[in-house]
Amino acid sequence: MVDTLLEVCVDSVASAEAAAEGGAARIELCSALSEGGLTPTLGLLKTIKKRVRIPVFCMVRPRGGPMVYSSAEEEVMLSDARDLKYAGADGLVFGALTSQGNIHIEFCKSFREVAGDMPCTFHRAFDLLDEPLLALDTLIELGFTRILTSGGAVSAIAGTSTLFELHKIAGSRIIIMAGAGVRSSNVAALLAKTGVFECHASARVK
């Protein structure tokens, strides 16, 4: 029996501390959650690393909007990834597509070279792919350790059938982490219907 794991997305020190105290197993650290999560500052990462004892994965995304990046933006992202790595990040969260809507293989290769042995999550750019099931092998070959996905739907609950297929095909080769609309009220049903054992949530309190 595999233990289930909750990753919580945060953009502040207070939220990181609350997530750790509340039982999160990992933090996804961003800035600007209102934009869907952007690259955090090094100062924020270093401060949180001093205050929590769970792994901190950092988003690498220079702006909101489409996941198609210019050569200048790619340069920024590689530099940010390198800086976050040496500032103590435990992993990186990243995704990039071509203008045709496919995985940007060459840029992903460059990113993985910078990351080295650090685990990398391919984020919900995955949900914008036309053939997500066919993309699994590509991401495995590129060296990603997990995929954050809603199964291509507006929420993970709505995408349970695709999440189930992804998890079944992935096996032990790559982790499928369910995200989007995950709440305490639906997470048990999500785990039961999909078989996944990692979930991602913002865990916000109104």
Side-chain angles (χ1 to χ4, degrees):
M1 178 94 178
V2 178
D3 290 336
T4 56
L5 180 154
L6 176 64
E7 175 183 273
V8 175
C9 184
V10 307
D11 63 357
S12 70
V13 175
S15 293
E17 291 178 328
E21 291 169 6
R26 184 173 60 239
I27 286 169
E28 182 196 271
L29 181 61
C30 309
S31 66
L33 282 178
S34 60
E35 291 289 332
L38 303 181
T39 308
T41 67
L42 298 183
L44 182 59
L45 169 61
K46 290 176 180 178
T47 300
I48 288 174
K49 286 289 293 181
K50 292 177 183 176
R51 292 170 175 263
V52 304
R53 294 291 178 263
I54 58 176
V56 179
F57 280 32
C58 292
M59 174 68 75
V60 180
R61 184 174 174 231
R63 56 162 173 75
M67 311 295 182
V68 180
Y69 300 107
S70 68
S71 58
E73 287 172 327
E74 290 177 5
E75 184 177 341
V76 170
M77 294 168 79
L78 294 177
S79 179
D80 283 341
R82 190 175 294 108
D83 290 345
L84 290 165
K85 174 181 177 180
Y86 291 116
D90 298 292
L92 299 174
V93 182
F94 161 83
L97 306 177
T98 67
S99 56
Q100 291 75 40
N102 302 311
I103 294 171
H104 194 326
I105 293 174
E106 292 307 313
F107 183 29
C108 286
K109 285 181 179 177
S110 297
F111 190 93
R112 287 291 301 119
E113 287 175 3
V114 169
D117 294 334
M118 294 182 72
C120 289
T121 301
F122 194 90
H123 62 45
R124 290 192 61 210
F126 184 82
D127 290 325
L128 302 176
L129 298 170
D130 291 332
E131 300 288 345
L133 294 174
L134 299 179
L136 276 178
D137 286 338
T138 299
L139 293 177
I140 292 166
E141 290 169 6
L142 286 167
F144 286 88
T145 54
R146 61 179 45 79
I147 299 168
L148 172 59
T149 174
S150 65
V154 294
S155 70
I157 285 291
T160 52
S161 59
T162 301
L163 285 167
F164 175 81
E165 288 298 320
L166 287 167
H167 177 67
K168 182 173 68 174
I169 294 170
S172 61
R173 300 180 299 157
I174 193 168
I175 297 167
I176 302 300
M177 179 167 57
V182 177
R183 299 181 176 87
S184 58
S185 59
N186 62 25
V187 67
L190 178 64
L191 295 171
K193 290 179 180 180
T194 63
V196 304
F197 54 88
E198 292 198 11
C199 290
H200 170 99
S202 61
R204 287 173 289 187
V205 177
K206 293 183 180 180

